Structures are given as structure tokens and as C-alpha cells.
Amino acid sequence: MAPAHTDGEDASHDHLQPLVQSTVRATHSLFSGTSVPTQSDALLSSQRQKIFSKYRAEYLSSRVLPRSMQPTDSPNPLLLTAPRQTKLLTQNGHAEITVCSLTNVEDEVQKVLDGLAGRQRAQAKKHKVPTRELVRMAAEATRDDSAPAGQQIVRKRTYEPVRPEWHAPWKLMRVISGHIGWVRALAVEPGNRWFASGSVDRTIKIWDLASGTLRLTLTGHVSPVRGLAVSSRHPYLFSAGEDKQVKCWDLETNKVVRQYHGHLSGIYALALHPTLDVLVTAGRDSVARVWDIRTKQQVHVLAGHRGTIASVVCQDADPQVITGSMDSTVRLWDLAAGKSMATLTHHKKAVRALALHPSDFGFASASSDSIRQWKCPRGDFVQSFNGHSSIVNTMCANNDGVMFSGGDDGTMRFWDWRSAHCFQKTQTVVQPGSLDSEAGVFCSTFDRTGFRLITGEADKSIKIWKEDEEATEESHPVDFRPSLGRRRY
């Protein structure tokens, strides 16, 4: 049996009623932006209150028409011009016009809620789509494709790891000795008959690719040679060194025919444009300089990095120049304007190596924390290659989807480009008589076929690697162990 209420309890409740009303009134004025009386039915549901406040804050002021659009005799007080409405508010008081407007707003909000509820019920009965599918459809419907990458608010789909393709393991084929210093640069001739190597011993040597025999030695630099490139359109070989010199060698006379002056410090990287007569060099002066091959003129000075530029690559489509710097950033450059298109700041350590994929419109950048893959032209992040625990000095990729990376401690990794799976981990073998600390890979390149890998190392040797022809999928299966989590930046 319910207890009977006494007169004292009723009196206490009557005393608390004004306090409750004042609390509700203060709460409504705090969250709605105006201090008007609030009725109890306006707080029945959070959805009703949300639409009610938004409708009043954003659309109520637009109901007052300008004087030029207002008819002369308007029976509706909400459609009065601004002066008339002010007069009406002055004469009749603030509460009359506000309550009238709020009453109309409440009616319209109720119509909106009824329409949404009826539409949702009808759609659910008609389609019977699962809730997860509804969420996905709503996310795709609200997605803004014009927004920049990383700013689109969409629901992330379930992570599905990409299964890697099978690749044969690589093995050592030949060791070439001849330099008396670290081998820091390599370049393969477009005809795939010979390749050039640059060393700390200040010489450039030309080697036969098939037999590995020495053909020629070019001298002229007075400091270590750090960059080499062979032109596919002219019989020229370009070299750059730490002596701030960029030289153009005529391969018909084996002499220097042009020199490009302008760098203020040592040059660490050199790249040749594939279709234009343009040469790009970069180094310790933190800028990349674009040279006209024929006139020896400096076309652009690509400034923006705050540290030494350790690597540079060129391609025939935008971004035509990509640079990696010791300031842990990668920059994509517009060659026509001479300005930076994008700056990638995902790395935490110095970016010492870049690699372009021959057929896929993308590239990879390497630092001691990780290797990251990017998609051109905007530099969208694709995935990370994790497995190195040392400084990565060099990278290269071939058309078969194999990417090679070499570390400062002699570690070698072979990756599947599409899935970022490391299918082979090996260690380079130093020459007899060398120290264990000389097991470092400084430069690498694939030949034009992609079946031979050439590496320049710290033991002053050049090593040529090839795929194991006897390996099969049964003898060397893919050790694929995907993680359940998404790859993070």
C-alpha cells in the first residue's frame, strides 16, 4: 500500500517547484544561446532538442525578410520587415513574438522528426539491409572525394592483408674487385652491356656486365664520387662528387666535355631526367639544383629542405623530382614552377634512400625507422616495410615487383612491392681479409632486365646477385603471417 502524502510534504514540493523551473530555464539559456521560457515537452528527447536548437539558431533569423522583399500588407508577424518587427516587439513585449515564433518552430521540428521516423521505417521494411551495411552506405554517401587525403571522414573498412606473390630467392653470383675505396655509386648503361661504378678512391670504373671485367678507368674528381648517371639519349656519363663538381663525360672520347658549377658544398646525389635534357644534383648545401645539360645553365634551385639532401630521383610525370633529406622529410617538386608540391613528414629519422617503381606510379623512401611506400602524384601513404634495424643506405625495385634494400650493417632485405612482405633476409659476405665492420651496402641497382642485382659495398667490392633458378614454390614456400591490426603510420 502506497504511503499517504502529508500536507508538509506537499508544501516542500511546492517550495522546490520554482527552483526546478529556474534550473531548467538556466540550462536552456546556457545551451541554446537565448534566455526564453522553456516548456517541458521541448525536453522529451535529445534528438528533438538538438534539431530544435539548431533550427532556431540557424534558420529563425532568416525568416525576417528584407524591406525590399516584404509585401506592403503582411498578416504574418514573422514576415514583417526589420523596423516593423522592432516596433511590434516594443509595443507588445518580447515574450509575445518569441513565443509565437517558438511555437511555429516546434511545429516544424515535429514535422521533421515525424518525416525522418516514417522514412526510416519505410526504408527498413522495403530493403531490410543489415545495420553494418547501412553504416557503410551512409559513410560512402557522405564521403567528399574532393577533400585532401587524410581529411575524409569515412568509416574504416575491415583490414584485409594482401597475400604476397611468390618470388625466387636471390643468391650471390659474382664478386668484382678493383676499387681501393668504398663503392658509393652505380649506374647501368641503357643497352645493358656495361655498368659504371664510383668510389671513394676518386675514380670511375667501367665494367663489362656479362663477364665482370674492367674496361676503363676515368679519373678527374679530387674527392669521393657520390653520383653516377648514364644518358639514354646521348653518349654521356654524368658524375658528381664531394668536390662540388658535376662532370659530363663523352663516352666516345672518354673525356670531360662539360662541368656544372654552382654547388656550395659536397654533392651526395645525382639524377637524370628520363625525357628532358635536364640534370638534378643535390648535396650538403640543402638544395637541389636543376641544370640544362646543353647550356650548362642552372634552371632552378629547389630550396626548402633544412638538412643535407641524401637522395634524389626523377620521373617523366609529376612530381618529376623527388628528394629525401637528412631533416627526415621527403619533398615532391613541380619541375615547371620550381616549387614544392608536397612535403612528407612521416619519417622520424634521416631519409637516405629513394626508389621509384619502374611500372607502378609510386615510390618508396627509407630511413632507419622504417621504409614507407607512397603513391604519386600527391604522395599518398600506402604502407610500411618493417624489418630493418639499421640505417638503410640504398633501395631499388624491378618490374617483377621485387624491391631490395641494403643496410649500413650489411643486412639485405628483399620485399614484395605489393604486399610489403619480406620474402628473404640475408647478410652480405665480406671479402677475405676485411673487417666485420666493413659489411655495409652503400649503393645498388638492377640491370635493365631486372634479373641481376648489383651492389656496391664497404669492403671495396662490387657484388652481382641473381635469382635462384632451381628454387620452386614447394622448396621455398611463402612464409606469410599477416597481423590482425592495421598498418599504422
Side-chain angles (χ1 to χ4, degrees):
M1 182 174 180
H5 295 283
T6 62
D7 295 339
E9 292 178 353
D10 295 339
S12 64
H13 291 171
D14 295 340
H15 177 68
L16 292 176
Q17 189 67 23
L19 295 177
V20 173
Q21 292 180 357
S22 63
T23 304
V24 171
R25 196 175 295 110
T27 303
H28 184 270
S29 63
L30 177 63
F31 290 100
S32 62
T34 181
S35 57
V36 297
T38 306
Q39 300 180 3
S40 59
D41 56 353
L43 299 174
L44 294 177
S45 65
S46 60
Q47 185 178 14
R48 177 186 177 87
Q49 181 65 20
K50 179 180 178 181
I51 298 179
F52 176 79
S53 301
K54 185 175 182 180
Y55 195 96
R56 183 177 58 186
E58 297 185 7
Y59 303 110
L60 187 60
S61 61
S62 63
R63 297 165 66 93
V64 179
L65 298 178
R67 183 180 296 276
S68 60
M69 299 177 59
Q70 173 65 28
T72 306
D73 299 329
S74 177
N76 190 358
L78 290 178
L79 296 179
L80 294 174
T81 57
R84 290 189 177 185
Q85 187 179 1
T86 305
K87 184 177 181 181
L88 183 61
L89 291 175
T90 305
Q91 295 177 355
N92 300 338
H94 185 274
E96 181 180 350
I97 183 66
T98 309
V99 171
C100 180
S101 62
L102 288 179
T103 305
N104 293 337
V105 171
E106 288 180 358
D107 295 340
E108 295 182 8
V109 168
Q110 187 62 38
K111 290 181 182 180
V112 172
L113 291 175
D114 296 341
L116 289 176
R119 188 181 304 172
Q120 291 176 357
R121 287 194 297 268
Q123 187 175 4
K125 291 181 180 180
K126 182 178 180 180
H127 298 286
K128 294 182 179 180
V129 183
T131 306
R132 182 175 297 178
E133 187 68 17
L134 285 174
V135 173
R136 186 186 65 81
M137 293 170 59
E140 292 181 354
T142 57
R143 179 175 179 176
D144 185 10
D145 293 334
S146 62
Q151 299 182 7
Q152 300 169 350
I153 305 177
V154 296
R155 178 182 175 88
K156 291 186 177 180
R157 299 184 179 180
T158 305
Y159 171 66
E160 297 179 0
V162 180
R163 185 167 185 83
E165 298 180 2
W166 181 83
H167 299 284
W170 292 69
K171 63 180 182 179
L172 183 61
M173 172 185 171
R174 180 178 292 116
V175 179
I176 302 175
S177 300
H179 283 290
I180 58 175
W182 293 350
V183 182
R184 301 304 303 259
L186 291 169
V188 179
E189 183 254 341
N192 209 39
R193 295 187 302 270
W194 53 268
F195 69 94
S197 63
S199 173
V200 177
D201 60 8
R202 302 168 295 178
T203 62
I204 303 170
K205 293 182 180 293
I206 309 297
W207 309 87
D208 186 84
L209 185 59
S211 61
T213 57
L214 179 64
R215 284 189 175 185
L216 185 66
T217 299
L218 301 175
T219 59
H221 283 280
V222 296
S223 288
V225 180
R226 299 294 297 268
L228 289 175
V230 183
S231 175
S232 59
R233 306 173 60 197
H234 309 285
Y236 293 152
L237 168 68
F238 297 91
S239 64
E242 295 183 7
D243 52 4
K244 303 182 286 186
Q245 296 183 10
V246 182
K247 297 179 181 292
C248 176
W249 303 81
D250 189 346
L251 297 176
E252 295 178 351
T253 60
N254 300 328
K255 294 181 179 180
V256 177
V257 294
R258 295 185 184 94
Q259 294 195 39
Y260 307 89
H261 301 281
H263 275 282
L264 305 178
S265 188
I267 304 170
Y268 283 1
L270 178 146
L272 196 61
H273 198 281
T275 56
L276 302 176
D277 290 337
V278 164
L279 178 70
V280 182
T281 57
R284 283 169 49 185
D285 52 4
S286 305
V287 296
R289 301 181 186 271
V290 183
W291 309 90
D292 189 336
I293 293 176
R294 297 164 296 180
T295 63
K296 300 184 293 183
Q297 297 296 321
Q298 189 172 269
V299 181
H300 289 302
V301 178
L302 306 180
H305 283 291
R306 293 178 289 103
T308 300
I309 300 178
S311 56
V312 58
V313 292
C314 293
Q315 58 183 358
D316 53 1
D318 286 333
Q320 300 184 50
V321 179
I322 305 172
T323 56
S325 173
M326 298 287 189
D327 60 3
S328 71
T329 62
V330 178
R331 284 184 178 264
L332 283 60
W333 301 90
D334 184 357
L335 186 59
K339 297 181 180 180
S340 176
M341 297 173 54
T343 303
L344 310 179
T345 59
H346 298 66
H347 286 286
K348 299 179 182 178
K349 300 295 181 65
V351 180
R352 297 174 179 264
L354 295 173
L356 287 173
H357 194 275
S359 56
D360 190 11
F361 194 37
F363 68 97
S365 59
S367 65
S368 57
D369 55 355
S370 66
I371 301 173
R372 302 182 187 274
Q373 183 180 342
W374 314 90
K375 184 178 180 181
C376 294
R378 297 191 303 176
D380 299 328
F381 176 78
V382 179
Q383 58 189 351
S384 295
F385 298 75
N386 298 317
H388 270 290
S389 58
S390 64
I391 298 174
V392 180
N393 289 322
T394 178
M395 287 194 308
C396 57
N398 64 4
N399 280 314
D400 293 335
V402 176
M403 187 181 74
F404 166 79
S405 61
D408 207 40
D409 57 352
T411 56
M412 302 173 63
R413 299 288 185 267
F414 293 88
W415 312 84
D416 178 60
W417 175 268
R418 183 167 171 266
S419 63
H421 170 67
C422 181
F423 65 89
Q424 184 180 0
K425 299 179 181 179
T426 184
Q427 185 84 15
T428 186
V429 181
V430 297
Q431 279 188 305
S434 300
L435 301 175
D436 294 338
S437 60
E438 292 181 324
V441 183
F442 287 138
C443 55
S444 65
T445 182
F446 284 100
D447 68 349
R448 298 299 176 178
T449 63
F451 299 149
R452 298 290 184 271
L453 173 67
I454 309 171
T455 60
E457 304 187 4
D459 60 354
K460 309 168 189 175
S461 68
I462 301 171
K463 296 183 175 65
I464 300 179
W465 308 74
K466 70 174 183 178
E467 290 182 338
D468 189 355
E469 300 174 352
E470 299 178 355
T472 61
E473 296 188 26
E474 290 76 16
S475 61
H476 295 79
V478 177
D479 185 15
F480 181 50
R481 299 177 183 177
S483 60
L484 298 178
R486 294 186 179 94
R487 292 194 183 98
R488 300 182 181 272
Y489 282 80

